Amino acid sequence: MDFCNKLIAEGFMTGQVQRDIPLVPSAAAATPPIELLLARRHGLLCVIPPILTKLARQGQDLLCPRDVSRINVGTASCGQAAGAGQRLDLLTTRADFAGAVKVHNVGCIGACYAEPLIDVRTTEGRHYLFGKAGSINHSAIIRTALKQRVHDSAWLVLQERHPGILTGFEDLDVLRAANNDFAAFFAGQQRRISGHCGLIDPHSLAEYVATGGYFALAKALFEQTPSDLIAEITAAGLRGRGGSGFPTGQKWLLAAESSDPLRMVVANADEGDPGAYMNRTLLESDPHRCLEGLLLAAYAVGAQRAYVFVRHEYQLSIANLRKAIADLYAAGLLGSHILGTGFSLEVEIIQSGGAFVCGEETALLQVMQGRRGEPVPRPPYPAEQGLGGHPTVINNVETLANVPWILTRGAEEFRATGSAQSPGTKIFCLTGDLPRPGFIEVPLGTRTATVVEEIGGAAPQSIKALQIGGPSGGLLPYRDTPLDYSTLQQAGAMIGSGGLVVLNKSHCMVDLCKQLTAFMAAESCGQCLFCRDGLAQLHKLLDRLTRNRADESLLRDLAELSRTVSELSRCGLGRSAVNPLLSGLTYFAEEFASHTQGICPAGACHALIRFEIDQTACTDCLVCYKVCPVGAITLLPGRGPARYRFDDERCVRCHSCTELCPHACIMTKPRKTP
C-alpha cells in the first residue's frame, strides 16, 4: 500500500489517529544488498553496472544511516522564502551533533504552506515531520534527533516499511498524525514523479541512485532497443505535461524515423505561467530524475546532443542542474560510451531570457539559435526540422520525469492510474484563496473537490471559480469535475503546465480577464497583427467595462474580437491567449452584463465601488479619517460611527482605510445596487 492510500486507510481524513504505537519496530527480515533490491524492483535482468552498485551503497548510507540521526531541511525556494536558511545554519553549527546527527539539504516535500519543513529520521527508520519550523519547535527537533524518541510537536510520523530502505514515499507507512490538516494534504495524492522530493539531497548523485536512479537507463541500454523504448512510452499513453498534451511516443517516433542522423532533445523548463512552479520544484528537488528522462529520450530517438532550456530567473534550479550534470560526467553517466555502451550524449544548459512566449517550442528554438523569441509556423514540426534544421524532440521537464518510472514499472501499471485518454499522474501547483497551497501530484481525472477541498482545505461555499492552465487557460465556475485533458478542453480550458488558482467570491471575473489580457498583450512577441493589436484592443475594451464606460454592445465586440484573435493568430500562444476571456464570457455572462450597468457584484472594480462603515464594529478611533490621502472621509458634528461620511467623487479607491482600520469595519460595496 502506498503512502497516500495508507493515510486514508489509517483514518486520517476523519481524524482517527493511532496512539499506542511501539517506539521500536520489530526486527526486520534480512534484506539483500541495496543494488540487488533495486534491480529486482526495476526489472533490471542484466549484470548491474559497477558504478551503480558503488553509488547505491554510498547513497543508502547517506539516506539511511545506521548509527546517527539525519535531519532533512527543505531548502527549495519556498523553504528559503520562509526562513529555512536560518534553521539550517542553527542546526549545522551545533557542537553536540558531532557523531550523533547529520544535517542535510533536501528539496520541497510539496506542502509549501507548512515551510520551513524539517524531517528528522532516527536510526530505526522513523521520520518525524515538523511543519512551520521555528523557535517554537526548534528544541523539539533537536531532542528528537539526539534522543530518538517521539515528540508531540511533530506534525506527522512515518515509518520505513523496511528500515534502511527508502526509495521514495511508497516505502513509508504512517504511524501518527498530530496535525490532521497536514495528513489530509497528502492523503489524496499519489507521489510517483515527486516521490523523492523532500527526502533526498538534490546535490547527491549517490542518494538518487540509492532510490533506483539510473537503473532505468541501464535497463534501456542493456536490455532494450530504442524502438522498444518508444513502443513502451507509446503503449503507456504518456502525454506532454507542459501544454496541450501531445502524445510523447508519437513525437519521439517522428524524430527517430528521420533520415537525418543528427538529432537532438531539449528539456523545456521555461515555465512562464504566473502561479506555476512545477518545473522549478522538480529541478530544485530532484534534478537527476529529469536528467535520466532526458538521457532516455536521447537514446530512444538516437540523439547525441541534449539541452536543458531553463528560465534565467530559476537560479537555484540552474545551480542544481550544473552540479548534477558535472557529477554525471564524472561518474561516466554522461559523455562518451555511457556505461561502456555505444551510446554517447553531451548535455548543455541554455538560459532563457524569460519572456512568456519563449516557452512555445518554436520560439524556444529561435532563442537557442541566437534569434529573437518568435514562434514560427508549423509544419514542419521541430521533431522533423528543429534546431539548425535537424530533428529536435522538445519535452517538458515533468514529461521527461515520467519516463524512468514507465520504463521500470511498465506501460500497464502506468495506465492503471488516471483515465483511458489521460493516464498517469499530474503535478499541479495549487495556489490562491485556500488554506493549504502547495505542489501536489494526483492521478489525472481526480475531481476538483478532492484537490480544492480535501487537499487544499478550502470551504466549497467560499469558492467562486478556478483558473486552470495559466494565463492562457480558462476561467471555470467552481463545481466538482474531473481534472483531465478532454474534460477541461470541452469546458473551454486546458491543463497546460498545471497551474490551478482557486478564486473566492471577492474576485471580479471582468477585472481578472482584464489583468490576464494585459499580461498576454505585454508578452506577445509582436510579429502577428491579431495577437499584437487584437489583445491590446481587448484590454482597452475591458478597461472601459470596469470604468462604467460601456454598454451591452461592448460585450458583442469583446466576443467577436476574441474569436478573431483565436482563429487568426499565427501561433498556439496567440490562439489560446483569449481563452480566459471567452470562458469568462460564457460562464460569467451575468457578471459581465452587470458591468455594463455600472455594477461590479464582487465590489472589486475601483470605479464601480464605494466604502461603507459597519457601525456595529466601529469604535470611532479616527484611523480611516487620518490616513485618507485625499480627504474623502469627513466628520459630522458629534461622536460615534454615525458621523463618518465618504465622498465617492473624491475617493481614489486606494484602500488605505480598509487596510489600516484596526477593526476591519470598512466594507467594500458595489457603487450601485445589483
Side-chain angles (χ1 to χ4, degrees):
M1 183 181 298
D2 64 23
F3 175 60
C4 308
N5 290 333
K6 185 67 175 177
L7 276 169
I8 298 171
E10 297 293 350
F12 292 120
M13 293 303 294
T14 60
Q16 300 169 4
V17 181
Q18 291 186 354
R19 297 293 182 187
D20 301 321
I21 299 172
L23 289 179
V24 180
S26 59
T31 56
I34 184 64
E35 68 275 9
L36 295 179
L37 185 146
L38 293 173
R40 185 184 307 159
R41 283 192 180 186
H42 293 82
L44 182 63
L45 303 177
C46 67
V47 175
I48 303 169
I51 186 62
L52 294 187
T53 296
K54 176 183 176 181
L55 289 170
R57 293 180 179 181
Q58 290 176 353
Q60 186 185 30
D61 290 340
L62 291 169
L63 276 175
C64 304
R66 296 179 179 87
D67 302 321
V68 299
S69 296
R70 170 174 166 136
I71 295 179
N72 293 328
V73 182
T75 55
S77 292
C78 52
Q80 292 188 20
Q86 181 185 16
R87 295 296 108 199
L88 183 67
D89 292 341
L90 290 171
L91 292 169
T92 54
T93 55
R94 292 190 63 87
D96 57 345
F97 277 6
V101 181
K102 296 290 186 181
V103 182
H104 292 259
N105 296 279
V106 294
C108 174
I109 202 172
C112 303
Y113 78 96
E115 296 287 358
L117 204 145
I118 292 178
D119 167 24
V120 180
R121 181 198 183 271
T122 54
T123 53
E124 75 271 18
R126 190 155 294 168
H127 294 252
Y128 299 90
L129 272 62
F130 294 84
K132 296 191 180 297
S135 57
I136 192 170
N137 53 11
H138 188 69
S139 60
I141 292 169
I142 294 168
R143 288 198 301 273
T144 302
L146 288 174
K147 298 183 179 181
Q148 301 201 20
R149 66 168 181 258
V150 67
H151 194 281
D152 290 341
S153 62
W155 285 15
L156 194 63
V157 183
L158 309 172
Q159 173 68 54
E160 292 166 9
R161 191 171 298 112
H162 303 287
I165 304 298
L166 182 61
T167 65
F169 274 97
E170 64 183 353
D171 289 325
L172 295 171
D173 289 330
V174 176
L175 295 185
R176 183 173 304 177
N179 186 314
N180 287 331
D181 288 342
F182 188 64
F185 177 83
F186 293 101
Q189 298 191 50
Q190 188 168 337
R191 303 290 295 273
R192 283 184 176 181
I193 308 311
S194 59
H196 301 155
C197 298
L199 295 180
I200 70 172
D201 183 347
H203 290 169
S204 175
L205 171 59
E207 289 187 18
Y208 178 69
V209 173
T211 65
Y214 294 107
F215 277 73
L217 176 65
K219 182 177 181 179
L221 294 183
F222 294 119
E223 299 177 9
Q224 293 184 319
T225 65
S227 58
D228 290 336
L229 180 50
I230 293 176
E232 189 77 22
I233 297 300
T234 302
L238 176 63
R239 300 176 65 169
R241 297 306 200 240
S244 59
F246 189 81
T248 302
Q250 186 176 334
K251 182 182 289 188
W252 287 12
L253 184 62
L254 195 62
E257 290 181 340
S258 172
S259 60
D260 188 339
L262 182 57
R263 304 161 194 167
M264 287 160 279
V265 292
V266 178
N268 185 354
D270 191 70
E271 61 186 354
D273 295 1
Y277 47 93
M278 291 72 57
N279 295 343
R280 172 173 63 77
T281 304
L282 281 173
L283 294 176
E284 289 179 356
S285 305
D286 194 9
H288 280 288
R289 184 186 289 272
C290 307
L291 290 171
E292 185 175 11
L294 188 66
L295 276 155
L296 290 166
Y299 173 70
V301 304
Q304 294 185 332
R305 291 205 62 83
Y307 302 88
V308 183
F309 188 85
V310 59
R311 295 181 72 82
H312 76 275
E313 297 97 334
Y314 286 2
Q315 288 302 305
L316 181 56
S317 296
I318 292 169
N320 287 358
L321 280 168
R322 285 175 175 160
K323 176 70 166 60
I325 290 170
D327 288 347
L328 288 175
Y329 275 112
L333 294 169
L334 271 181
S336 300
H337 304 293
I338 295 171
L339 294 178
T341 68
F343 174 56
S344 302
L345 186 70
E346 303 294 328
V347 175
E348 181 181 349
I349 298 172
I350 305 291
Q351 295 189 46
S352 160
F356 180 77
V357 73
C358 292
E360 197 276 339
E361 59 181 17
T362 61
L364 176 154
L365 292 175
Q366 294 291 92
V367 173
M368 291 181 66
Q369 296 174 97
R371 302 170 187 155
R372 193 169 184 266
E374 295 180 338
V376 298
R378 297 177 296 179
Y381 294 95
E384 300 170 296
Q385 294 180 32
L387 194 61
H390 304 290
T392 306
V393 167
I394 304 171
N395 286 134
N396 168 266
V397 161
E398 185 186 343
T399 308
L400 293 170
N402 274 275
V403 174
W405 197 99
I406 294 171
L407 184 56
T408 57
R409 304 297 183 92
E412 184 177 351
E413 188 171 348
F414 182 79
R415 280 192 169 276
T417 295
S419 62
Q421 299 303 316
S422 302
T425 61
K426 179 72 185 77
I427 293 174
F428 290 94
C429 286
L430 186 60
T431 60
D433 303 314
L434 73 173
R436 300 194 292 267
F439 168 89
I440 69 171
E441 183 177 358
V442 295
L444 280 163
T446 297
R447 303 191 73 86
T448 51
T450 299
V451 172
V452 174
E453 299 170 34
E454 297 179 13
I455 296 176
Q461 65 273 16
S462 70
I463 305 304
K464 179 178 184 177
L466 300 177
Q467 181 199 347
I468 303 177
S472 55
L475 293 175
L476 303 180
Y478 182 59
R479 57 176 68 121
D480 191 18
T481 186
L483 291 168
D484 60 53
Y485 291 99
S486 57
T487 300
L488 291 180
Q489 186 176 21
Q490 291 169 9
M494 62 181 179
I495 285 182
S497 60
L500 200 163
V501 184
V502 179
L503 304 167
N504 66 23
K505 293 180 180 179
S506 69
H507 293 276
C508 171
M509 295 299 103
V510 178
D511 185 60
L512 181 57
C513 285
K514 184 178 79 169
Q515 294 178 43
L516 294 174
T517 302
F519 175 84
M520 296 304 294
E523 293 293 335
S524 171
C525 74
Q527 66 171 327
C528 171
L529 170 67
F530 295 99
C531 180
R532 181 189 68 228
D533 296 342
L535 290 174
Q537 182 61 24
L538 283 172
H539 179 257
K540 290 179 180 179
L541 294 175
L542 287 165
D543 187 60
R544 287 175 54 193
L545 196 57
T546 61
R547 292 178 179 274
N548 196 19
R549 297 176 182 173
D551 55 28
E552 292 185 1
S553 65
L554 184 139
L555 299 183
R556 294 191 292 271
D557 293 341
L558 279 173
E560 182 179 353
L561 181 55
S562 295
R563 288 191 291 268
T564 301
V565 171
S566 176
E567 293 168 1
L568 298 179
S569 288
R570 191 175 187 184
C571 76
L573 286 182
R575 290 190 290 272
S576 64
V578 293
N579 281 348
L581 181 51
L582 286 172
S583 57
L585 287 166
T586 299
Y587 295 111
F588 302 97
E590 291 185 4
E591 193 162 339
F592 276 80
S594 293
H595 280 70
T596 65
Q597 306 300 317
I599 300 169
C600 176
C605 297
H606 284 190
L608 307 181
I609 64 173
R610 60 185 176 86
F611 296 110
E612 186 177 287
I613 288 184
D614 180 358
Q615 296 191 11
T616 62
C618 179
T619 62
D620 195 16
C621 67
L622 297 176
V623 169
C624 60
Y625 172 74
K626 293 176 180 178
V627 301
C628 180
V630 294
I633 301 175
T634 57
L635 300 176
L636 296 178
R639 305 283 296 178
R643 64 177 174 151
Y644 292 82
R645 290 291 182 271
F646 287 86
D647 185 338
D648 289 339
E649 298 304 321
R650 181 176 293 182
C651 177
V652 294
R653 280 72 176 175
C654 66
H655 283 272
S656 295
C657 57
T658 60
E659 292 172 357
L660 296 176
C661 175
H663 305 291
C665 60
I666 300 179
M667 303 176 292
T668 303
K669 297 286 187 178
R671 201 163 184 181
K672 296 181 180 180
T673 303

